[in-house]
Amino acid sequence: HHFMRARVFWREFARDPDKLLVVIDPRATETAKLADIHLALRPGTDALLLRAMIAIMLQEGWHDQDFLDDHVSDFPAIRHLFENFDARAALAVCELDYEQVRDVCRLFTSRKSCHLSDLGVLMGRHSTLVSYLENVLLAVSGRMGKIGGNRIPKSVANLPIRATSDAPDAWRTVATDYRQITGIYPPNVMPEEILNDHPDRLRAVIVSAHNPLRSHADTTAYEEAFAQLDLLVTIEMNMSETAALSHYVLPAPSGYEKWDERLTGGGTGFRRPILEPEGEQLEEGEIFTRLADKLGLIPDLPGGLFAAARSGDRLAFDAALGRFLAERPEAIPVLPFILAKTLGRQLGSAHLASLWGSLRTWPVALREERFQSVIDKAGTAPVPMTGGADDEEFPKLPTADRKVRLNLPEMTQWLAEIDPVAERELLDRDRSEYPFILSAGRHFDHNANTQMRDPAWLKGKRACTLIMHPSDAGRYDLMNGEMVKVITEAGEETVELEIDPTTREGFTVIPHGFGLVYDGEVHGVNVNRLTRNTHRDRLAGTPLHRYIPCRVEAIRNR
């Protein structure tokens, strides 16, 4: 789902005798079935596993000391957190074989290798800590910023040394006290930020090409909160559940009717429209530009800038834009709106104008050639992201000494909590009431909004089921195909049971994104009725969708 030709790529990778595929996942997923080594760890033990792997690398002397000396500024300060760690005891809690994990560590540090993670850890227990430990693992093994390893984009070098969120006057959410990360606040705090008495509470929301009432954790909380907003505006191409609750719905064209940005394996690209939109649809970028103009966010623009845009001479427009920004540097933050209002009018697309703006920093000949190729080739030409994957030079990082910082108090204090005894106690807690772990999300070829909304697209498929291991089904006298009740702290839902040996004992899964209304009827189960928005990461606020304690009951026994 995350890059083109994924099935073909992984099959070719798995067949290559010179390559080794290791998959860490509780389930025997489609990817895991191709793997040379599958570590079917206990759900929720990712942080414990990573700490154990780093400890093994250090204890065995397999670490890359030269990399640590050259590119990490403070590793000696955290080394003791791993060197004295009981990896055997930790892996016992993970329910993994110590020798097999040790062998993975040996292979990872002795071969050209890289690490790829996905929602299983990004939405699992200790989410932000796991991301931190992944970086420690890459640093200890010397696989960070190297050819064949994990790339650090050169764009990182353009970041400020101190993040905006760390500034003394940085705004934090008023009810939950979360700070922004890369300019974004966690959406899971929105219900609390709306349903409070603070004078600066959240009162108005604009939703663009999104459906929070189905996409975010705790649908019930979102419905209650959004109903209390002073203003809810949705920019959409169809009447979604969120749009139906909105005060205003602004129609947007489909991807076939507009210039549309997309991510590709080689970077970011644009697709050209192939159909003329009918009715009042406007590109999202055009809608936001008009709103910004009405709000007075766009400064008065000189007539010469509009004339240069209309001339079709990109170099003349670039020069005029440069002169304007030199005279009015305060306008730089709203440059996308300026481009949309000037060049976008000439090109007929605010989105296409933003592409020109992103290419503006390239060498003149290259950017003009690339921009023209995007138009001539129907928008299929990818635009590579800054910094190629084969850069040999380690990037200059935006830290004082240009090195990686790993001694972060928020992380090291959290890491100290991750020990075998404490983790086993937490993992076993509440097992009598909630004996299963539910993963709210499963990838399919048919995880697409149109298919999940209209049941006709999925006729004959068991598209929205709860999968359960045969041993668990036998233990609780549950039968394949029967309707069962799934109960969590947040609520309960009725869903078809699918007995599936690919999942792990005690680990159940429901696909994400169903429960959509079509012709007045709900199709499938909205798994976000079973999730709590407060069940989230302590720092990033990420929903812990992949670790939800639950129980499953047969309806016939109720």
Side-chain angles (χ1 to χ4, degrees):
H1 275 260
H2 294 288
F3 54 90
M4 296 172 65
R5 301 176 67 249
R7 290 183 183 276
V8 175
F9 173 85
W10 287 118
R11 285 171 181 159
E12 291 176 350
F13 190 101
R15 286 196 295 263
D16 191 330
D18 295 325
K19 293 180 179 177
L20 183 77
L21 178 61
V22 179
V23 172
I24 303 172
D25 198 299
R27 289 183 55 230
T29 63
E30 293 85 349
T31 311
K33 290 176 183 177
L34 299 174
D36 299 284
I37 299 173
H38 175 206
L39 300 179
L41 80 170
R42 179 179 182 177
T45 60
D46 306 275
L48 204 56
L49 171 60
L50 285 169
R51 188 176 184 184
M53 292 178 69
I54 297 165
I56 290 171
M57 291 176 183
L58 290 168
Q59 292 163 8
E60 295 286 353
W62 294 336
H63 59 288
D64 189 334
Q65 189 61 51
D66 290 338
F67 181 90
L68 293 172
D69 291 340
D70 294 341
H71 299 298
V72 181
S73 62
D74 47 13
F75 188 71
I78 67 170
R79 191 172 192 135
H80 69 281
L81 293 170
F82 304 99
E83 281 190 324
N84 303 320
F85 186 67
D86 190 345
R88 285 185 181 274
L91 293 174
V93 177
C94 298
E95 299 180 2
L96 294 173
D97 178 70
Y98 174 85
E99 293 301 330
Q100 187 179 41
V101 175
R102 180 180 178 275
D103 197 41
V104 170
C105 294
R106 178 185 62 80
L107 292 166
F108 193 82
T109 53
S110 61
R111 300 172 60 142
K112 182 184 288 188
S113 54
C114 65
H115 171 76
L116 173 68
S117 63
D118 204 340
L119 297 179
V121 293
L122 296 176
M123 292 186 171
R125 291 181 71 241
H126 310 302
S127 170
T128 302
L129 179 65
V130 169
S131 297
Y132 164 77
L133 287 171
E134 288 172 336
N135 284 321
V136 177
L137 178 80
L138 293 170
V140 167
S141 59
R143 295 294 181 261
M144 182 183 290
K146 287 190 176 180
I147 294 175
N150 283 63
R151 169 186 169 222
I152 301 177
K154 283 187 175 179
S155 57
V156 171
N158 297 323
L159 294 173
I161 292 178
R162 177 178 287 274
T164 304
S165 59
D166 292 332
D169 59 345
W171 188 84
R172 300 175 76 102
T173 55
V174 298
T176 55
D177 197 36
Y178 272 91
R179 62 185 179 183
Q180 62 168 291
I181 298 177
T182 63
I184 299 172
Y185 293 92
N188 285 285
V189 306
M190 288 182 73
E192 295 149 276
E193 294 300 320
I194 296 169
L195 300 173
N196 67 79
D197 295 327
H198 196 285
D200 294 330
R201 67 184 179 274
L202 186 59
R203 297 171 182 267
V205 172
I206 297 178
V207 177
S208 178
H210 192 41
N211 190 12
L213 292 193
R214 290 299 179 270
S215 298
H216 291 312
D218 206 334
T219 297
T220 305
Y222 265 88
E223 288 173 340
E224 180 184 356
F226 274 24
Q228 298 301 315
L229 285 169
D230 294 346
L231 177 66
L232 177 59
V233 179
T234 295
I235 304 171
E236 254 293 359
M237 59 172 285
N238 68 291
M239 188 59 71
S240 67
E241 288 74 14
T242 305
L245 194 64
S246 300
H247 299 100
Y248 296 93
V249 180
L250 305 180
S254 71
Y256 297 107
E257 301 167 315
K258 64 184 175 184
W259 284 95
D260 194 27
E261 185 176 12
R262 64 190 175 96
L263 296 178
T264 70
T268 181
F270 265 65
R271 291 179 294 208
R272 69 155 61 240
I274 60 173
L275 297 173
E276 286 292 330
E278 298 179 2
E280 300 177 340
Q281 298 99 314
L282 292 174
E283 287 181 332
E284 293 88 341
E286 178 65 22
I287 291 174
F288 281 110
T289 299
R290 295 189 187 189
L291 289 174
D293 214 5
K294 288 290 186 180
L295 290 167
L297 299 178
I298 305 176
D300 292 334
L301 302 177
L305 193 57
F306 288 98
R310 289 193 299 270
S311 73
D313 186 337
R314 301 286 181 270
L315 294 179
F317 177 74
D318 184 51
L321 181 63
R323 288 192 298 270
F324 173 73
L325 295 177
E327 296 171 1
R328 300 282 301 276
E330 70 277 8
I332 293 176
V334 295
L335 179 57
F337 294 141
I338 295 172
L339 288 171
K341 191 174 179 180
T342 54
L343 185 61
R345 298 289 188 271
Q346 193 272 330
L347 295 174
S349 169
H351 296 175
L352 198 53
S354 73
L355 171 62
W356 183 90
S358 69
L359 299 178
R360 185 170 176 262
T361 57
W362 290 34
V364 173
L366 183 58
R367 61 174 134 145
E368 287 297 305
E369 175 187 341
R370 175 61 69 180
F371 185 77
Q372 194 59 44
S373 73
V374 170
I375 295 177
D376 292 344
K377 297 178 181 179
T380 60
V383 181
M385 291 180 285
T386 304
D390 293 333
D391 294 332
E392 294 188 30
E393 183 181 353
F394 192 82
K396 294 180 179 179
L397 301 179
T399 51
D401 57 3
R402 301 297 188 183
K403 293 185 177 182
V404 175
R405 291 172 50 203
L406 294 176
N407 186 22
L408 308 173
E410 299 102 320
M411 296 291 102
T412 54
Q413 292 167 14
W414 191 349
L415 180 58
E417 303 172 16
I418 309 301
D419 69 78
V421 175
E423 281 293 276
R424 185 184 292 279
E425 181 179 338
L426 288 170
L427 290 163
D428 290 341
R429 190 175 62 184
D430 301 329
R431 289 291 298 276
S432 58
E433 184 177 4
Y434 298 116
F436 292 99
I437 296 301
L438 170 68
S439 175
R442 182 184 180 188
H443 292 307
F444 284 113
D445 288 345
H446 50 261
N447 283 145
N449 286 339
T450 49
Q451 296 180 10
M452 291 185 291
R453 184 175 292 280
D454 182 354
W457 285 80
L458 298 175
K459 187 176 181 180
K461 292 189 173 109
R462 300 180 74 180
C464 186
T465 61
L466 171 83
I467 64 170
M468 177 182 288
H469 192 273
S471 298
D472 291 326
R475 186 177 304 112
Y476 288 90
D477 190 27
L478 300 174
M479 296 181 295
N480 185 52
E482 74 171 312
M483 302 302 291
V484 296
K485 188 78 71 175
V486 182
I487 304 165
T488 70
E489 181 188 12
E492 59 181 54
E493 287 289 318
T494 300
V495 64
E496 179 189 347
L497 178 68
E498 179 178 354
I499 298 177
D500 185 351
T502 66
T503 195
R504 199 180 189 280
E505 289 187 40
F507 191 57
T508 63
V509 187
I510 296 177
H512 180 265
F514 284 90
L516 301 174
V517 178
Y518 184 78
D519 280 350
E521 294 186 7
V522 177
H523 175 50
V525 172
N526 174 16
V527 74
N528 280 329
R529 295 279 187 195
L530 300 172
T531 62
R532 291 288 298 272
N533 70 300
T534 52
H535 185 53
R536 61 194 179 216
D537 181 80
R538 66 174 74 173
L539 287 181
T542 309
L544 306 186
H545 279 319
R546 298 305 190 258
Y547 192 89
I548 303 169
C550 75
R551 68 178 182 269
V552 181
E553 300 176 354
I555 295 179
R556 55 186 158 84
N557 294 333
R558 292 172 65 86

